[in-house]
C-alpha cells in the first residue's frame, strides 16, 4: 500500500530543487518523492515507477538540502 507523505514546503519551493526538477521535466514534489523514497509518479500515473537520471552533483545538493529539513 502506498503511503502519502507530506513534504516540507520549504524543500519543495527551494530554488535548487525547483531548478533540478525543471531540468528533468518533473515537479519538485515528484523529484523529492523519487529522491527520498525511490519512486516518482510521472504522467499522472501514481503507481508508475519512473527513473529520474540525477547527476552526481544533483544528488549531493538534494542530500544536503534534505538533511537540513526534518522529514
Amino acid at each position: 500500500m502506498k503511503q502519502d507523505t507530506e513534504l516540507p514546503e520549504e524543500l519543495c519551493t527551494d530554488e535548487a530543487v525547483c531548478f533540478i526538477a525543471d531540468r528533468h521535466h518533473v515537479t519538485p514534489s515528484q523529484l523529492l518523492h523519487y529522491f527520498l523514497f525511490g519512486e516518482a509518479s510521472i504522467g499522472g500515473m501514481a503507481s508508475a515507477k519512473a527513473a529520474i537520471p540525477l547527476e552526481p552533483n544533483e544528488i549531493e545538493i538534494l542530500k544536503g538540502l534534505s538533511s537540513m529539513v526534518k522529514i
Side-chain angles (χ1 to χ4, degrees), residues 48-66:
K49 295 269 184 176
I52 300 173
L54 297 172
E55 300 286 330
N57 64 322
E58 293 172 332
I59 293 169
E60 290 304 315
I61 291 167
L62 293 172
K63 277 183 186 176
L65 290 171
S66 62

Side-chain angles (χ1 to χ4, degrees), residues 2-58:
K2 184 176 177 178
Q3 179 180 344
D4 286 329
T5 304
E6 184 97 14
L7 296 169
E9 185 177 339
E10 63 266 20
L11 193 55
C12 289
T13 59
D14 184 87
E15 188 176 336
V17 172
C18 292
F19 178 81
I20 295 168
D22 187 54
R23 184 179 175 285
H24 292 284
H25 309 291
V26 296
T27 66
S29 179
Q30 289 170 329
L31 173 69
L32 293 169
H33 271 281
Y34 173 77
F35 179 73
L36 297 170
F37 309 112
E39 61 186 40
S41 59
I42 297 179
M45 295 173 29
S47 63
K49 295 269 184 176
I52 300 173
L54 297 172
E55 300 286 330
N57 64 322
E58 293 172 332

